[in-house]
Amino acid sequence: MGPHQTAVVRIGFAAAWLLFLLREFPHRHELYGPQSPWSWDMARRLIEDNHSFTVLMWSDSALWFEAVYAGAVLSSALLLVGWRTRATSVLFMVGVLSLQNRSVFMGDGGDNVIHLMALYLVLTRCGRSWSLDARRAARRPAPRVDRTGVALWAVLGFGLVAVVLFRDRSGEPWLLVLLWLLWLAQGLWWLVCRFAPGEPRTLLDVLANLLHNAALAVIMAEVCLIYATAGWYKIQGSRWQDGTALYYPLQLDYFTPWPALSDFLAGSGVVVMLITYGTVIVQVAFPFTLFNRRVKNVLLAVMMLEHAGIAVLLGLPFFSLAMIAADAVFLPTVFLLWLERRARTAGRRLRPGGTPRAGERPAPDAPHPRTLVG
């Protein structure tokens, strides 16, 4: 279910994390590296108590930090374009957990959402649409021996051996067990596809679909939980009750990248009140609107515009991009297919001699069934 929605979630979170890593590249040592105020020894003592997973605790070498940071950037880029998504989604998760758990006080709400979604994406079939994997599968039949896949599987196996060797610094045991199960499941998938492509292959495909659908349902529930808790906690705040909550962040230098615009909005009491009350209403109401598709779509567009406004007005682009990517799980399939057709048409126009004839409308590659998200 929801192959296009899952693809948008994959692209959105990979892009958010990749852009953040590139934006903070000059400051990476202060954020997560050797020059961080939260030193390696302090992080090690904290992780001994909370058992968080991070490969950065394997060594305090600057070279090891640079390798992990570069790996996080590379895995984000590969997941963004959908190359070997089963493997790169795991590497993406490892990169997110390793950097964020190294300096837990550096993050915000957007980092928390990326942290959670990195875990959920591992269990989804997020490369079935809008990815290099899907393009490769559609253009040519699978090779008899997938040498690239076998080599990647073997390299990741050596990485898991390293995790076992440093298991006292690798977080909770359940994550280690999950990584091994994922690695063994991928090996089993390859063996079945190679030597038993009949009913065993169909059975594994059904199990993978069930796991994907369950993870997709968890992602949807997580988004609803985020908005419901945010809305109900706001209701309990006196500044949200009297309609003045928006005024105060507009007066903080940290949240005013455009001082003139912030002062203009803060100068209108009516605008401040409407935006403050509207934010609470939208967040509290959204989980209940899932019972009506049309109302849900309207409120979904409002929330995405709200996050876009937060990115511009308060200077929180990565938080907003992460939330928009999470909201995308509820986008209608019809809209995403329309968007795909428009993108294909634009691509043909950009290619020499590829302008479609008047009235010609490219058909989708294959019929798509209805999904949980409409």
Side-chain angles (χ1 to χ4, degrees):
M1 300 247 178
H4 292 86
Q5 287 82 357
T6 315
V8 175
V9 172
R10 181 200 85 230
I11 294 170
F13 279 102
W17 185 240
L18 176 62
L19 292 174
F20 173 78
L21 294 179
L22 295 177
R23 166 63 180 81
E24 301 298 340
F25 186 81
H27 316 290
R28 65 193 184 281
H29 293 284
E30 291 79 9
L31 287 174
Y32 306 113
Q35 301 175 16
S36 174
W38 190 249
S39 67
W40 190 87
D41 290 330
M42 296 171 68
R44 180 178 56 81
R45 289 198 293 269
L46 178 63
I47 288 173
E48 287 177 354
D49 293 333
N50 62 18
H51 305 290
S52 299
F53 175 84
T54 171
V55 299
L56 287 176
M57 289 296 100
W58 294 0
S59 172
D60 59 352
S61 167
L63 181 61
W64 174 242
F65 167 75
E66 296 290 357
V68 173
Y69 199 93
V73 172
L74 180 61
S75 63
S76 302
L78 293 177
L79 186 65
L80 175 64
V81 298
W83 183 83
R84 305 283 175 176
T85 51
R86 289 196 183 104
T88 53
S89 63
V90 177
L91 295 175
F92 176 77
M93 176 190 71
V94 170
V96 170
L97 298 184
S98 296
L99 292 174
Q100 290 189 355
N101 290 336
R102 164 63 177 84
S103 300
V104 294
F105 302 108
M106 295 295 180
D108 57 17
D111 294 298
N112 293 336
V113 175
I114 294 176
H115 193 107
L116 292 170
M117 294 301 173
L119 290 167
Y120 302 150
L121 279 175
V122 170
L123 305 177
T124 64
R125 309 185 79 173
C126 56
R128 301 300 293 270
S129 298
W130 299 345
S131 66
L132 294 180
D133 289 347
R135 184 181 182 184
R136 182 176 63 251
R139 286 194 167 187
R140 59 181 175 84
R144 183 171 179 81
V145 179
D146 184 9
R147 293 182 176 85
T148 304
V150 172
L152 185 59
W153 185 78
V155 170
L156 293 179
F158 285 111
L160 286 177
V161 172
V163 174
V164 173
L165 293 177
F166 292 97
R167 60 184 178 275
D168 58 327
R169 301 180 234 172
S170 298
E172 294 283 359
W174 68 264
L175 187 57
L176 178 60
V177 172
L178 174 63
L179 292 174
W180 275 105
L181 287 176
L182 293 171
W183 186 75
L184 293 173
Q186 185 58 29
L188 176 62
W189 185 281
W190 182 86
L191 289 174
V192 169
C193 292
R194 177 75 187 278
F195 301 106
E199 292 185 2
R201 168 68 170 77
T202 303
L203 175 62
L204 288 184
D205 200 49
V206 170
L207 294 176
N209 285 339
L210 289 174
L211 188 61
H212 165 89
N213 293 339
L216 185 63
V218 170
I219 292 174
M220 297 165 68
E222 186 72 45
V223 175
C224 291
L225 184 63
I226 289 172
Y227 283 119
T229 53
W232 286 108
Y233 273 112
K234 285 181 174 65
I235 287 178
Q236 301 175 47
S238 59
R239 295 292 177 264
W240 292 93
Q241 292 175 5
D242 60 25
T244 62
L246 177 65
Y247 174 83
Y248 297 97
L250 293 178
Q251 302 302 309
L252 298 175
D253 293 338
Y254 186 78
F255 293 111
T256 53
W258 312 100
L261 179 60
S262 298
D263 292 340
F264 174 76
L265 291 177
S268 174
V270 175
V271 172
V272 169
M273 182 190 67
L274 291 177
I275 296 179
T276 300
Y277 285 156
T279 299
V280 176
I281 292 172
V282 168
Q283 291 182 348
V284 173
F286 179 73
F288 301 99
T289 64
L290 299 182
F291 298 102
N292 187 296
R293 187 175 58 187
R294 291 185 175 85
V295 178
K296 180 264 295 182
N297 291 339
V298 172
L299 227 59
L300 186 63
V302 171
M303 286 196 304
M304 288 185 171
L305 291 175
E306 176 188 354
H307 287 302
I310 290 174
V312 175
L313 187 62
L314 301 182
L316 297 171
F318 302 112
F319 164 78
S320 299
L321 182 56
M323 290 307 304
I324 290 174
D327 295 341
V329 72
F330 293 106
L331 287 173
T333 302
V334 174
F335 170 75
L336 293 176
L337 293 178
W338 173 84
L339 197 64
E340 180 183 15
R341 288 194 297 268
R342 299 292 295 181
R344 290 180 183 275
T345 302
R348 292 191 183 96
R349 292 182 184 276
L350 292 175
R351 289 196 298 267
T355 304
R357 295 187 298 271
E360 182 182 10
R361 301 183 64 183
D365 294 335
H368 299 278
R370 286 182 60 82
T371 68
L372 282 172
V373 289

